[in-house]
Amino acid sequence: MAELILEAKDAGDWIYRGEGAANLILSYTGSSPRFDGKVLRVQKVKKNGISCEELSSDLSVHECLLWKEDCDLLSAPTREIAEHLYVQHVMRPLLGSDHVDAGIRALVSRDFLEALAKNILSQRPSWRVDDADVNTQCDYALLISDHSVFPQALHDGELSISVEIKPKCGFLPCSRYISEEHTIKRSMTRFKLHQSLKLLRKKIPQLSQYDPLDMFSGSKERILKSIKDLFSTPQNNFRVFLNGSLVFGSLGGGKYITNVHNDKAFEDELKSVIEADNGTRTTCFLELVSEAVFRSGLLNRLLEVQKLDVFDIEGAIHAYYDVVSQPCVICKKLGEDKLSGRYSSLHSLPLDGSLKIVKEYLIAATAKDLSVMISFRTREKGDPKSPYSVIFHESTGQSFDYKVSFIDLDMKPLEKMIYYYELDQKILRCYTKLMETVKPPENSARVEEKTSYQEKSFVEDEEHGRRELIGSSLHYTEMNEDDYLLIFQLMPIRVLLFAQLNVELKMGTDTRQSWKLLHHMNRRHHIMTVLREKTLQVELRSCDTLKGLGNPTRFMQNLHASDMVSTHFATAKPGTAEREYICSTIELC
Ligand SMILES: O=P(O)(O)O[C@@H]1[C@@H](OP(=O)(O)O)[C@H](OP(=O)(O)O)[C@H](O)[C@H](OP(=O)(O)O)[C@H]1OP(=O)(O)O
Ligand SMILES: Nc1ncnc2c1ncn2[C@@H]1O[C@H](COP(=O)(O)OP(=O)(O)OP(=O)(O)O)[C@@H](O)[C@H]1O
C-alpha cells in the first residue's frame, strides 16, 4: 500500500469526534474509500508543564532496557513509532488480536495539523483547550478502525449503537509492600478512593456510583448493576454513540456536565434501535450492554493483564529506582535502610528482576486506563450470514450482532512511575484526612457501633449519641466549602444529614436547634436513613408528616436521590430552590 499522506487540503474532511488527555480523535467525512470507517488519532502537546511525551522524542536509555525483549520497539526511530509497536507487539497479544486494532501510520504535514487544530477548536471542551494543543511537530497520525460503527454500516443506512466503557482497575491490591496507613487500599478500589481527590479538585461534580469490582465480578447481576451505576454517573467512564455520534455521556471527558446527559432525550434516541415501550428502552439497552460484557468474557482477560501489577506502586517504585540506577528516594524519605529495611528484598533483586516488575507495572497501567467499545446492530430474523457474535434480547425479542474492541492502549512512559507514586500518596492522604475529619470523637464508641458499615439506622433516641455528635459538629465548622462537599459525598447518611445542619449553622442557624430538628424527625420516624453496603438510602416513613415541608413530592425526590441532596445543598446559592428546600426543612423545627 502506498504511504498515506495527509496535507492541508485534506483537513476539512476530518471532524472532531472526541479526545482524551493525550490524543484527539477525528472522524472522516470525505469520500475516499481508504478512510471510510476509520478515525484519525492525533497526538496533543501540553500547553503548560512538561508532558511525559515531551520529555524525549525517543525511548530513553532505561526504557530501551525495559523493552529490550520486545525487540521491534528498540528498532523504532521515534517514540511515536515505538508506541505504535507497543500496541502491536505487547498489548495486542495480551488482549487478543481480534479485539485490538493498532492502526496504521499516516504521514501528516504540519499544515494539515495546523488547519485541523483551527477547524476543531470551537468544538473542544475549553478546559481541554487550556490544557493541550494539537502537536503540530508530529510527522504521523494513526488511522484506526472506527469501533463505534460496523464496516459499511453508514452506507447501507444500517444503524449501529455503541458504548464506550473505561472500566479502570478491577481488583484490590494485596501487595505486602502496601503501608499500614494505606490498608484501605485492600478493601476499596483505587477508582473509589480517587473519587474524593477528584471531587476536591473539582474534576467531578459528584462521586461516581460505579464500582469496578462489580464490572469485573463475572456475575451477571453485578455487571448489570455496574452498567446502571455508570449510566447514573457516567463521568469519563461511560458514553453511548449512535452511528458514531455521541448521544449519552460527555465528550472529551473532564467536567462531565453535559446536556447530552438527559434521560428523556436518551430514551428517544433509542427508539430507532430498541423496540420497546416508551420509558423502558433505556433499561432494555443497559441489559443488552451488560449481557454483552458478560458473554464476551473479555473483562476476565483484561483483569489478568491488570493483575500484572503484583507489587502495587508502593513496591514497584523501589524497583524503578534500581532500574534507573538512582538512590531510592522513597527509602530515604521513609528512613528505611535500602539493604536491611522493609524494602530490602526488592532492592536486592538482580536488574532483570527489577526490570520485570517495572515493565509489568507499566503494562498493567495501560490495561487499567484503556477503554472498551461494544457496538451493536440489529440482526434480521433468520439472517445466518453475520460474522459477528449474536445476542438475543428476551424482553424485546430482538437479536443483535455485537463486537468488542479495546481502545487507548498507550504505552506509559517510565518516568511516570514517580508521578504514580505521588498520586497514590495524594489519593490516600486526601481520603485518610477526610475520614479523620469526620470520625466521631474518641469516646463515641456507641455511636460508632450503631453505624457500622452494614446496615444501620441513623439516629435512635439516645441522649449520649446526640451530645457526642454535637461535639464533633464544632469541629466541622472550621472546615471550608470543599471539605463540606467531600463529607456530603463520602459519609454515611448519619453524618451527611448532620453535615447539612452544620452548613446551616455556618449560615447562622443555631446548632442546638438544628440538632433538635433532626432528632425530632428521626424520633418520630418521619425519616429513616439507612446505609446499605455503602449506598445511602433515605426512606420517608409517612408522607402525611411532611406537610410542613412545602412540596412533599419534591422533598421526597430530593431525599431519594440521596447524593444529590448533598450536592444540591453544598452548592446551593441563597434564593435557589435547593436552598429554600433546606430552609423549609429547618423551619419545621
Ligand atoms: O491515573 P488515573 O487513574 O487518573 O488515569 C489517568 C486518566 O484519568 P481518569 O482517572 O481515568 O479520569 C486520564 O484520563 P482523563 O484525562 O481524566 O480523561 C488519562 O487517561 C491518563 O492517561 P495519560 O496521561 O493520557 O496517559 C490516566 O493516567 P494513567 O494513570 O493511566 O497513566
Ligand atoms: N478507534 C476508535 N473508534 C471510535 N472512537 C474512538 C476510537 N479511538 C478513540 N475513540 C474516541 O475518542 C476518545 C479519545 O480517544 P483516546 O482514548 O484514544 O484518547 P487518549 O488521549 O489516549 O485518552 P486518555 O485520556 O485515556 O489518555 C475515546 O474516549 C473515544 O470516545
Side-chain angles (χ1 to χ4, degrees):
M1 196 189 202
E3 192 147 32
L4 290 165
I5 306 179
L6 292 165
E7 292 165 343
K9 65 176 171 44
D10 304 310
D13 292 337
W14 295 93
I15 56 165
Y16 184 75
R17 165 67 72 83
E19 67 188 285
N23 296 280
L24 274 154
I25 302 291
L26 305 133
S27 330
Y28 185 63
T29 57
S31 53
S32 167
R34 68 200 320 204
F35 299 128
D36 246 4
K38 302 280 183 201
V39 294
L40 192 67
R41 190 166 191 248
V42 177
Q43 251 187 35
K44 302 197 296 188
V45 64
K46 295 266 180 212
K47 279 186 174 167
N48 303 310
I50 306 170
S51 79
C52 290
E53 282 74 14
E54 278 176 89
L55 287 173
S56 82
S57 54
D58 303 326
L59 293 186
S60 66
V61 175
H62 294 118
E63 281 177 317
C64 288
L65 259 182
L66 205 63
W67 303 111
K68 67 179 186 295
E69 279 158 29
D70 307 275
C71 335
D72 286 328
L73 261 74
L74 297 197
S75 63
T78 66
R79 182 174 199 103
E80 275 165 87
I81 298 180
E83 285 180 350
H84 185 217
L85 294 171
Y86 170 81
V87 179
Q88 266 176 333
H89 300 293
V90 178
M91 295 311 295
R92 198 161 179 253
L94 287 169
L95 294 170
S97 54
D98 289 349
H99 306 285
V100 175
D101 176 17
I104 51 170
R105 287 192 302 275
L107 265 178
V108 286
S109 72
R110 193 176 174 150
D111 292 347
F112 170 80
L113 292 174
E114 281 173 357
L116 201 67
K118 216 167 127 201
N119 294 349
I120 61 172
L121 190 64
S122 61
Q123 290 146 67
R124 299 182 55 204
S126 57
W127 75 278
R128 286 286 195 197
V129 175
D130 294 344
D131 182 56
D133 276 332
V134 171
N135 186 356
T136 51
Q137 304 298 318
C138 273
D139 297 327
Y140 293 98
L142 281 179
L143 266 179
I144 312 176
S145 307
D146 183 345
H147 295 305
S148 61
V149 293
F150 285 81
Q152 265 101 50
L154 296 179
H155 290 293
D156 302 344
E158 184 183 79
L159 285 176
S160 63
I161 190 158
S162 53
V163 289
E164 177 184 346
I165 299 171
K166 192 178 196 184
K168 301 301 286 187
C169 181
F171 72 97
L172 296 170
C174 53
S175 162
R176 68 189 177 100
Y177 297 107
I178 294 174
S179 64
E180 257 166 45
E181 56 289 12
H182 294 169
T183 309
I184 185 73
K185 275 161 90 169
R186 299 175 191 275
S187 56
M188 192 184 271
T189 57
R190 156 66 155 61
F191 176 83
K192 286 258 172 210
L193 291 168
H194 198 177
Q195 289 280 303
S196 51
L197 184 66
K198 286 185 173 185
L199 195 67
L200 186 68
R201 291 177 166 176
K202 299 195 163 62
K203 198 178 172 192
I204 50 171
Q206 68 183 109
L207 292 181
S208 175
Q209 288 169 28
Y210 168 66
D211 188 338
L213 294 182
D214 291 324
M215 179 67 87
F216 286 89
S217 64
S219 136
K220 232 179 186 177
E221 291 71 31
R222 287 183 68 187
I223 293 172
L224 179 59
K225 179 187 181 305
S226 72
I227 302 288
K228 287 180 174 169
D229 290 341
L230 284 174
F231 184 75
S232 311
T233 43
Q235 297 189 0
N236 64 343
N237 305 97
F238 191 74
R239 297 186 181 96
V240 183
F241 300 87
L242 191 61
N243 276 351
S245 300
L246 186 80
V247 288
F248 185 85
S250 61
L251 268 184
K255 306 297 177 197
Y256 316 127
I257 301 166
T258 163
N259 54 8
V260 191
H261 182 181
N262 172 332
D263 295 356
K264 166 82 175 66
F266 184 61
E267 182 76 16
D268 287 346
E269 293 284 0
L270 291 177
K271 245 183 212 163
S272 51
V273 191
I274 305 281
E275 293 166 9
D277 292 341
N278 229 348
T280 63
R281 285 187 285 268
T282 303
T283 308
C284 291
F285 178 66
L286 299 182
E287 281 167 11
L288 183 67
V289 174
S290 81
E291 185 69 23
V293 170
F294 177 72
R295 292 254 202 111
S296 75
L298 277 184
L299 288 193
N300 302 338
R301 191 156 182 176
L302 177 60
L303 189 60
E304 289 315 305
V305 185
Q306 294 186 347
K307 284 184 174 173
L308 287 174
D309 165 18
V310 176
F311 295 88
D312 189 77
I313 190 60
E314 294 187 55
I317 192 70
H318 297 271
Y320 164 79
Y321 281 108
D322 290 337
V323 165
V324 296
S325 310
Q326 285 175 18
C328 181
V329 173
I330 310 303
C331 282
K332 193 170 166 214
K333 226 189 262 169
L334 298 175
E336 292 279 342
D337 186 313
K338 203 175 139 177
L339 297 175
S340 61
R342 202 166 159 215
Y343 306 100
S344 58
S345 52
L346 287 169
H347 287 298
S348 46
L349 285 171
L351 181 61
D352 273 354
S354 310
L355 284 167
K356 183 171 184 294
I357 292 175
V358 177
K359 179 176 161 172
E360 292 187 341
Y361 183 87
L362 291 176
I363 293 173
T366 300
K368 292 174 193 172
D369 193 42
L370 57 70
S371 296
V372 183
M373 289 207 77
I374 311 175
S375 304
F376 302 89
R377 67 174 178 194
T378 46
R379 183 190 277 203
E380 291 311 315
K381 284 198 180 72
D383 178 2
K385 286 191 305 261
S386 173
Y388 299 100
S389 309
V390 66
I391 289 181
F392 176 70
H393 185 252
E394 264 184 27
S395 355
T396 58
Q398 290 177 280
S399 293
F400 293 88
D401 282 337
Y402 76 98
K403 59 172 184 146
V404 187
S405 317
F406 292 107
I407 59 168
D408 192 8
L409 306 172
D410 290 338
M411 175 163 84
K412 302 291 177 181
L414 175 62
E415 290 88 337
K416 229 180 165 181
M417 291 295 288
I418 299 173
Y419 165 83
Y420 288 144
Y421 182 81
E422 285 169 357
L423 178 61
D424 185 63
Q425 299 281 308
K426 273 185 205 148
I427 291 173
L428 272 297
R429 245 194 332 263
C430 174
Y431 187 82
T432 312
K433 186 172 161 249
L434 180 79
M435 287 302 130
E436 275 167 8
T437 315
V438 294
K439 210 164 57 186
E442 293 285 290
N443 61 351
S444 62
R446 292 171 59 202
V447 177
E448 192 75 300
E449 264 169 40
K450 275 192 279 153
T451 53
S452 75
Y453 236 86
Q454 290 313 307
E455 180 175 326
K456 298 289 173 187
S457 63
F458 165 42
V459 179
E460 276 133 42
D461 187 10
E462 284 193 24
E463 286 290 310
H464 214 78
R466 183 179 80 178
R467 229 178 296 130
E468 284 159 355
L469 282 169
I470 288 174
S472 52
S473 80
L474 299 172
H475 182 48
Y476 297 155
T477 57
E478 304 300 318
M479 296 187 301
N480 64 28
E481 206 185 306
D482 282 339
D483 294 331
Y484 281 119
L485 189 59
L486 270 173
I487 290 171
F488 289 154
Q489 301 265 348
L490 285 174
M491 284 312 291
I493 196 82
R494 72 187 175 87
V495 180
L496 182 78
L497 281 179
F498 190 63
Q500 287 178 358
L501 295 169
N502 262 319
V503 174
E504 283 300 319
L505 167 72
K506 212 176 152 198
M507 297 186 302
T509 311
D510 177 74
T511 328
R512 272 174 198 286
Q513 284 295 95
S514 306
W515 167 251
K516 267 189 198 159
L517 158 71
L518 193 63
H519 183 58
H520 170 82
M521 288 176 79
N522 281 280
R523 195 175 45 183
R524 289 220 188 156
H525 300 289
H526 293 175
I527 63 169
M528 173 82 174
T529 54
V530 180
L531 180 66
R532 272 197 194 101
E533 292 195 346
K534 304 181 194 173
T535 303
L536 302 178
Q537 298 186 354
V538 181
E539 292 167 22
L540 295 184
R541 286 302 169 91
S542 153
C543 268
D544 287 342
T545 56
L546 291 171
K547 281 190 185 124
L549 294 177
N551 179 345
T553 319
R554 172 96 191 289
F555 180 70
M556 226 154 110
Q557 278 167 353
N558 277 324
L559 279 184
H560 271 291
S562 49
D563 57 345
M564 293 300 287
V565 172
S566 56
T567 309
H568 278 174
F569 181 58
T571 55
K573 302 231 164 22
T576 61
E578 289 82 12
R579 174 72 179 271
E580 276 157 23
Y581 140 67
I582 294 292
C583 289
S584 61
T585 315
I586 299 293
E587 273 160 25
L588 184 78
C589 148

